Amino acid sequence: MVDQDIQHWQQANEIYADLTDLSVSEAIAQLHLLPHVDDQVKSLVLSLISAGQQSSHYFDEAADSYRRAIKHSCFEVGQQVGDYRLTQSLDQGGTADVFAAEKIESEVQKPVAIKLFNHPGYLSHLSDRFQIEQKILAGLSHPNIVKLYHGGHSPDGVPYMVMELVEGARSIDQFVADQKCSTRAIIRLIIQAARAVAYAHSNLVVHRDIKPSNILLDRQGTLKVVDFGIAKLLNQPKDPQKTTLLALTPNYAAPEQIKSESISVRTDIFSLAAVCLQLITGEPPLSQNRLLDACQNDEQHVHKLLKSAVKDTDLRKILYQAMQSDPNRRYRHMDSFADDLQAWIERRPITASRDSYVYRIRKFAQRRTALFVTSVALVLFALSSLVVFSWQYKKISVEVEKSRQFKQFLLNIFAAAKPEEAQSGAIDARILLAQAAENIDYATFDQAADKSELLDAIAQAYFQLGLYDRANDLWQKAIQQAEGDGSALLGLARIAVINGDAESAQQRLQQFQQSVQETQQAGQSADIWLIESAMVALNGETDKALSLARQAYNYFVANDFIQQQLTAALQVADLLYNASESKQAIEFLEQALKTGAQKLPPTHPRILAIKNNLLDLYNDVGASEQALAISEELTTQIESVFGERHPLLIDTYVATSGTYRATGNMDQATEYVEKAYRLSLKQHGTQSALTARVLNSMGVMAYVRGDLNKAIEDISKAVDMYAESLGENHPDTWEVKTNLAALLNMNHEFKRAIKLLKSVVKSQRQALGPDHKSTIYSQTILARLYGDVGDFDQATPLGESVLNSAKEALGEQHPLTVGSYFTLAKIYQKQDRLSDAIDLITGIVDPSKNRLTEDNERIITAYNTLGDLYMAQEDLKNALIYKEKSWQVAKNLLGDDAIRTLSQQLKYVEILQKNQQFDAAEKHLKIVQDRVQDHGMDDPGLQQMIEQLSKAQQ
């Protein structure tokens, strides 16, 4: 009898395995069509379908033994996979096994988990999910989502993923049971999970399999959402994934999953609420046979469980709304669900809709006769028609009068202009805006809000022109007219961020959120994310800033808000650039430009702004051809359509100057930066931050041309302009002061340089704190200055302190941390502590420590520095190795003809000469000379090196 039962289970398992790629309805229909299958076996298959991935509740020991016997996994503890050795089995799932692992032959061990696909026989239809999970995890970075390090394939072709190890992992239900968590503690955990999943949603990813075993907590109680194996990418509407038996956990799946209907972010809301309900009540949140009855009893079951087991009314409302069978009646966003749970924790009002009498009557009417429905509908129609007609008539009348008043106001502005002035081009946007701002004080409107709206529009125009003081004044007036004007508050927050005032920006955002809770428009949440991104960037939190900006960008993409999408793209690219990820920034902006060009004209302000930023980025990575091409295109578009008055033209001239400077065409570079300066003086005068920025670029140009005195003169003037227009304690003022200090140091004006930089550091420490990235940067330069003057009592402790602060506050890979390593190494070198200096720089280039990789330009400097240090030790063999590495990396990253590549090649020639390898030195020197001549490069530094090395060669 037992053998027969095992045979039935075996047959049922085989049939179930054949049905796993079908939806519930398809699987049941297919089962009934199978010929010659015993009813008892069909019943067992139905129990497997109903049980889904919770089969342990249904299988007896015989079936369990059978499943172990047919397991496909071939991986064991001790086995090598890629560069890792499996050390412990953590989990054995339906399609993958998870092991703890350690890296082979690595002194520094970072604990990892390896997830290995365990069904080689089913690779054709299951491994796609494995690849999808890799793709999804690679695009997510959140403290509560398990990190993906990289993927690969075993020698047998089995895919695997190397992931963050959740040490001491317990599923959330195990953790709650072990800790005997209260309801409030459970809700706090659910809020963490909700925020993590909301982040995934903002990146257009729906998890689709939220259940307790996919929410883990480590030994420290840190929560991690795991297993995105069946997640869906929302920006791929034709994605072939569908909700199959294998992709279902019946106790937590939303009804639309079981019915194979459309999946959305609300699917995850249902599942997370189901997990929450089970944790609170200790009971299954949904009936076990819901797959077979198509979820007909879900609402009744949930309502009954909530009523009996959840005593708090507000919490009951929240979970009831989150677990509605109709997705449209659930929370719209996971963040909204989390916000209501947070409000419940804080005993604040919630937004969850009530289980009202209106809803109950509607449900009752659906079960009664057509006569009842028709009668009620007629009465409601009659009443509502009267109300709606009256309301619409009043609203239309108000809008007509509002339109008339706006029209008259605009005509009054243009009436002030003389035709001959307009024809001669003497009237520009700023004149008209000034006229509008003046007239609005005397204009009459029926509603204060109408005047506020017009003030906001004029302020927006001033803001776009970069006239922030005028925009600020008008937004202040708008708030006086209509207290709590949301658009004006957001505008003031943006200006506060531009001025580096994070505290005022935060205050304005809080006022905005308080004033528009009920009337917030689509997209305003994403606008807030952008402002918050800029705020946290001011505080040095680059990763968080980038996450918020990407979140806003993804929201705008999902809702097809093209102009906002491009604005967010610019901010994401700026943050990537600040994190020394220029190539990623370029790829991001190129894609944004491609999208924008399909929907906006080529001279749209956002399109022009993206091109201008791309020009800067191309310069940064040495892509001179692309830079010159986009510079020519951009300059032509602006000059031909807008003339010289467009605000971007000055930026374009400055960036073009930088391109010519990078290619060695110094005459053209000087011409463009001088054009920019003349234009900025003409349009903005001497007390403008823009003019100061152009003058700073002129100083850089003078320095490159070897005129250090002219460079100091120009940048000193720029410092005064920044201080006058932005204030002494503005970040831009600090930055240009730091540049000036570096030039003074080169000119041996050490005391003046140190005095200037000490004042900057003092101000930054007071305003930003010692661990802010701007403070760290200035302190690094100051330590270098102390080292250059031989004041090692100051230089060494400051250099060591700054390095420790950078590592702790910014992380080992941050560019400023790497810069601190260089600075301290330089200080050690000046004290003849060469071994200490070599250890520091060797640590930077060590691949296992992942501080600098071969695709980061700063590794050129690192290799070159190591060459210098070994040369100082008279170790010419190692010096030659690292000078050659420096040149080769420069060639790979920047190309053969870049000035920096040629400079590194000349330094390689120098060490070849010192090693008595004159034939090789002559060969390389001739290559550089030919390239400089062929490209007409006029770089003083290169010419001087060539002359010196030519003499040494003779």
Side-chain angles (χ1 to χ4, degrees), residues 451-468:
K451 191 170 186 178
S452 173
E453 187 177 341
L454 199 51
L455 280 164
D456 174 59
I458 300 171
Q460 293 276 8
Y462 272 119
F463 183 85
Q464 294 297 331
L465 289 173
L467 302 172
Y468 303 126

PDB file of all heavy atoms in Angstrom, residues 451-468:
ATOM      1  N   LYS A 451      -3.208  85.885  -8.972  1.00  0.00           N
ATOM      2  CA  LYS A 451      -2.027  86.739  -8.949  1.00  0.00           C
ATOM      3  C   LYS A 451      -0.800  85.944  -8.535  1.00  0.00           C
ATOM      4  O   LYS A 451       0.298  86.113  -9.092  1.00  0.00           O
ATOM      5  CB  LYS A 451      -2.255  87.905  -7.986  1.00  0.00           C
ATOM      6  CG  LYS A 451      -1.195  89.002  -8.067  1.00  0.00           C
ATOM      7  CD  LYS A 451      -1.623  90.233  -7.263  1.00  0.00           C
ATOM      8  CE  LYS A 451      -0.644  91.378  -7.464  1.00  0.00           C
ATOM      9  NZ  LYS A 451      -1.072  92.593  -6.733  1.00  0.00           N
ATOM     10  N   SER A 452      -0.986  85.053  -7.580  1.00  0.00           N
ATOM     11  CA  SER A 452       0.113  84.192  -7.132  1.00  0.00           C
ATOM     12  C   SER A 452       0.604  83.310  -8.276  1.00  0.00           C
ATOM     13  O   SER A 452       1.810  83.111  -8.455  1.00  0.00           O
ATOM     14  CB  SER A 452      -0.345  83.327  -5.956  1.00  0.00           C
ATOM     15  OG  SER A 452       0.625  82.383  -5.616  1.00  0.00           O
ATOM     16  N   GLU A 453      -0.333  82.786  -9.070  1.00  0.00           N
ATOM     17  CA  GLU A 453       0.023  81.920 -10.189  1.00  0.00           C
ATOM     18  C   GLU A 453       0.857  82.674 -11.227  1.00  0.00           C
ATOM     19  O   GLU A 453       1.834  82.143 -11.767  1.00  0.00           O
ATOM     20  CB  GLU A 453      -1.241  81.366 -10.829  1.00  0.00           C
ATOM     21  CG  GLU A 453      -1.003  80.311 -11.894  1.00  0.00           C
ATOM     22  CD  GLU A 453      -2.309  79.748 -12.450  1.00  0.00           C
ATOM     23  OE1 GLU A 453      -3.357  79.898 -11.787  1.00  0.00           O
ATOM     24  OE2 GLU A 453      -2.259  79.163 -13.540  1.00  0.00           O
ATOM     25  N   LEU A 454       0.477  83.917 -11.496  1.00  0.00           N
ATOM     26  CA  LEU A 454       1.213  84.719 -12.467  1.00  0.00           C
ATOM     27  C   LEU A 454       2.594  85.100 -11.929  1.00  0.00           C
ATOM     28  O   LEU A 454       3.594  85.079 -12.666  1.00  0.00           O
ATOM     29  CB  LEU A 454       0.416  85.974 -12.814  1.00  0.00           C
ATOM     30  CG  LEU A 454       0.781  86.695 -14.120  1.00  0.00           C
ATOM     31  CD1 LEU A 454       0.811  85.732 -15.293  1.00  0.00           C
ATOM     32  CD2 LEU A 454      -0.213  87.816 -14.384  1.00  0.00           C
ATOM     33  N   LEU A 455       2.667  85.430 -10.658  1.00  0.00           N
ATOM     34  CA  LEU A 455       3.967  85.710 -10.035  1.00  0.00           C
ATOM     35  C   LEU A 455       4.892  84.505 -10.155  1.00  0.00           C
ATOM     36  O   LEU A 455       6.087  84.637 -10.443  1.00  0.00           O
ATOM     37  CB  LEU A 455       3.770  86.074  -8.558  1.00  0.00           C
ATOM     38  CG  LEU A 455       3.318  87.511  -8.246  1.00  0.00           C
ATOM     39  CD1 LEU A 455       2.795  87.596  -6.823  1.00  0.00           C
ATOM     40  CD2 LEU A 455       4.477  88.481  -8.452  1.00  0.00           C
ATOM     41  N   ASP A 456       4.309  83.331  -9.937  1.00  0.00           N
ATOM     42  CA  ASP A 456       5.094  82.102 -10.034  1.00  0.00           C
ATOM     43  C   ASP A 456       5.630  81.916 -11.457  1.00  0.00           C
ATOM     44  O   ASP A 456       6.786  81.529 -11.650  1.00  0.00           O
ATOM     45  CB  ASP A 456       4.232  80.906  -9.627  1.00  0.00           C
ATOM     46  CG  ASP A 456       4.935  79.574  -9.848  1.00  0.00           C
ATOM     47  OD1 ASP A 456       6.008  79.370  -9.257  1.00  0.00           O
ATOM     48  OD2 ASP A 456       4.420  78.753 -10.628  1.00  0.00           O
ATOM     49  N   ALA A 457       4.804  82.193 -12.457  1.00  0.00           N
ATOM     50  CA  ALA A 457       5.234  82.024 -13.847  1.00  0.00           C
ATOM     51  C   ALA A 457       6.404  82.961 -14.179  1.00  0.00           C
ATOM     52  O   ALA A 457       7.377  82.554 -14.828  1.00  0.00           O
ATOM     53  CB  ALA A 457       4.063  82.283 -14.788  1.00  0.00           C
ATOM     54  N   ILE A 458       6.311  84.215 -13.743  1.00  0.00           N
ATOM     55  CA  ILE A 458       7.403  85.166 -14.009  1.00  0.00           C
ATOM     56  C   ILE A 458       8.662  84.740 -13.263  1.00  0.00           C
ATOM     57  O   ILE A 458       9.777  84.812 -13.797  1.00  0.00           O
ATOM     58  CB  ILE A 458       6.976  86.589 -13.599  1.00  0.00           C
ATOM     59  CG1 ILE A 458       5.730  87.018 -14.388  1.00  0.00           C
ATOM     60  CG2 ILE A 458       8.109  87.583 -13.840  1.00  0.00           C
ATOM     61  CD1 ILE A 458       5.112  88.313 -13.899  1.00  0.00           C
ATOM     62  N   ALA A 459       8.483  84.266 -12.018  1.00  0.00           N
ATOM     63  CA  ALA A 459       9.634  83.798 -11.239  1.00  0.00           C
ATOM     64  C   ALA A 459      10.302  82.614 -11.927  1.00  0.00           C
ATOM     65  O   ALA A 459      11.538  82.513 -11.961  1.00  0.00           O
ATOM     66  CB  ALA A 459       9.190  83.422  -9.828  1.00  0.00           C
ATOM     67  N   GLN A 460       9.477  81.705 -12.468  1.00  0.00           N
ATOM     68  CA  GLN A 460      10.037  80.548 -13.180  1.00  0.00           C
ATOM     69  C   GLN A 460      10.902  81.008 -14.354  1.00  0.00           C
ATOM     70  O   GLN A 460      11.975  80.449 -14.625  1.00  0.00           O
ATOM     71  CB  GLN A 460       8.914  79.645 -13.698  1.00  0.00           C
ATOM     72  CG  GLN A 460       8.105  78.954 -12.624  1.00  0.00           C
ATOM     73  CD  GLN A 460       8.752  77.670 -12.134  1.00  0.00           C
ATOM     74  OE1 GLN A 460       9.883  77.358 -12.486  1.00  0.00           O
ATOM     75  NE2 GLN A 460       8.043  76.948 -11.285  1.00  0.00           N
ATOM     76  N   ALA A 461      10.428  82.029 -15.059  1.00  0.00           N
ATOM     77  CA  ALA A 461      11.184  82.535 -16.209  1.00  0.00           C
ATOM     78  C   ALA A 461      12.524  83.126 -15.759  1.00  0.00           C
ATOM     79  O   ALA A 461      13.568  82.880 -16.372  1.00  0.00           O
ATOM     80  CB  ALA A 461      10.359  83.587 -16.947  1.00  0.00           C
ATOM     81  N   TYR A 462      12.495  83.921 -14.685  1.00  0.00           N
ATOM     82  CA  TYR A 462      13.748  84.461 -14.152  1.00  0.00           C
ATOM     83  C   TYR A 462      14.698  83.333 -13.720  1.00  0.00           C
ATOM     84  O   TYR A 462      15.904  83.403 -13.935  1.00  0.00           O
ATOM     85  CB  TYR A 462      13.461  85.375 -12.950  1.00  0.00           C
ATOM     86  CG  TYR A 462      13.193  86.816 -13.318  1.00  0.00           C
ATOM     87  CD1 TYR A 462      11.989  87.419 -13.016  1.00  0.00           C
ATOM     88  CD2 TYR A 462      14.166  87.581 -13.959  1.00  0.00           C
ATOM     89  CE1 TYR A 462      11.733  88.747 -13.342  1.00  0.00           C
ATOM     90  CE2 TYR A 462      13.932  88.907 -14.294  1.00  0.00           C
ATOM     91  CZ  TYR A 462      12.716  89.489 -13.986  1.00  0.00           C
ATOM     92  OH  TYR A 462      12.495  90.793 -14.313  1.00  0.00           O
ATOM     93  N   PHE A 463      14.129  82.324 -13.104  1.00  0.00           N
ATOM     94  CA  PHE A 463      14.950  81.188 -12.640  1.00  0.00           C
ATOM     95  C   PHE A 463      15.635  80.514 -13.830  1.00  0.00           C
ATOM     96  O   PHE A 463      16.820  80.173 -13.759  1.00  0.00           O
ATOM     97  CB  PHE A 463      14.071  80.183 -11.892  1.00  0.00           C
ATOM     98  CG  PHE A 463      14.816  79.017 -11.324  1.00  0.00           C
ATOM     99  CD1 PHE A 463      15.433  79.109 -10.087  1.00  0.00           C
ATOM    100  CD2 PHE A 463      14.909  77.819 -12.019  1.00  0.00           C
ATOM    101  CE1 PHE A 463      16.134  78.027  -9.549  1.00  0.00           C
ATOM    102  CE2 PHE A 463      15.605  76.731 -11.495  1.00  0.00           C
ATOM    103  CZ  PHE A 463      16.212  76.847 -10.257  1.00  0.00           C
ATOM    104  N   GLN A 464      14.898  80.313 -14.938  1.00  0.00           N
ATOM    105  CA  GLN A 464      15.481  79.677 -16.115  1.00  0.00           C
ATOM    106  C   GLN A 464      16.624  80.506 -16.699  1.00  0.00           C
ATOM    107  O   GLN A 464      17.563  79.975 -17.281  1.00  0.00           O
ATOM    108  CB  GLN A 464      14.408  79.448 -17.186  1.00  0.00           C
ATOM    109  CG  GLN A 464      13.340  78.443 -16.792  1.00  0.00           C
ATOM    110  CD  GLN A 464      13.902  77.054 -16.562  1.00  0.00           C
ATOM    111  OE1 GLN A 464      14.899  76.678 -17.162  1.00  0.00           O
ATOM    112  NE2 GLN A 464      13.287  76.287 -15.668  1.00  0.00           N
ATOM    113  N   LEU A 465      16.536  81.843 -16.532  1.00  0.00           N
ATOM    114  CA  LEU A 465      17.598  82.717 -17.024  1.00  0.00           C
ATOM    115  C   LEU A 465      18.769  82.809 -16.054  1.00  0.00           C
ATOM    116  O   LEU A 465      19.764  83.482 -16.326  1.00  0.00           O
ATOM    117  CB  LEU A 465      17.038  84.124 -17.280  1.00  0.00           C
ATOM    118  CG  LEU A 465      16.097  84.271 -18.485  1.00  0.00           C
ATOM    119  CD1 LEU A 465      15.500  85.655 -18.526  1.00  0.00           C
ATOM    120  CD2 LEU A 465      16.847  83.972 -19.775  1.00  0.00           C
ATOM    121  N   GLY A 466      18.640  82.174 -14.897  1.00  0.00           N
ATOM    122  CA  GLY A 466      19.717  82.211 -13.903  1.00  0.00           C
ATOM    123  C   GLY A 466      19.705  83.466 -13.053  1.00  0.00           C
ATOM    124  O   GLY A 466      20.656  83.733 -12.315  1.00  0.00           O
ATOM    125  N   LEU A 467      18.626  84.255 -13.112  1.00  0.00           N
ATOM    126  CA  LEU A 467      18.515  85.482 -12.308  1.00  0.00           C
ATOM    127  C   LEU A 467      17.794  85.121 -11.013  1.00  0.00           C
ATOM    128  O   LEU A 467      16.611  85.410 -10.813  1.00  0.00           O
ATOM    129  CB  LEU A 467      17.764  86.555 -13.102  1.00  0.00           C
ATOM    130  CG  LEU A 467      18.424  86.899 -14.460  1.00  0.00           C
ATOM    131  CD1 LEU A 467      17.535  87.822 -15.276  1.00  0.00           C
ATOM    132  CD2 LEU A 467      19.794  87.529 -14.240  1.00  0.00           C
ATOM    133  N   TYR A 468      18.542  84.472 -10.117  1.00  0.00           N
ATOM    134  CA  TYR A 468      17.937  83.830  -8.952  1.00  0.00           C
ATOM    135  C   TYR A 468      17.408  84.836  -7.922  1.00  0.00           C
ATOM    136  O   TYR A 468      16.415  84.566  -7.251  1.00  0.00           O
ATOM    137  CB  TYR A 468      18.943  82.875  -8.313  1.00  0.00           C
ATOM    138  CG  TYR A 468      19.449  81.825  -9.268  1.00  0.00           C
ATOM    139  CD1 TYR A 468      20.812  81.644  -9.485  1.00  0.00           C
ATOM    140  CD2 TYR A 468      18.562  81.014  -9.977  1.00  0.00           C
ATOM    141  CE1 TYR A 468      21.283  80.690 -10.368  1.00  0.00           C
ATOM    142  CE2 TYR A 468      19.017  80.055 -10.864  1.00  0.00           C
ATOM    143  CZ  TYR A 468      20.372  79.904 -11.058  1.00  0.00           C
ATOM    144  OH  TYR A 468      20.823  78.953 -11.928  1.00  0.00           O
TER     145      TYR A 468
END
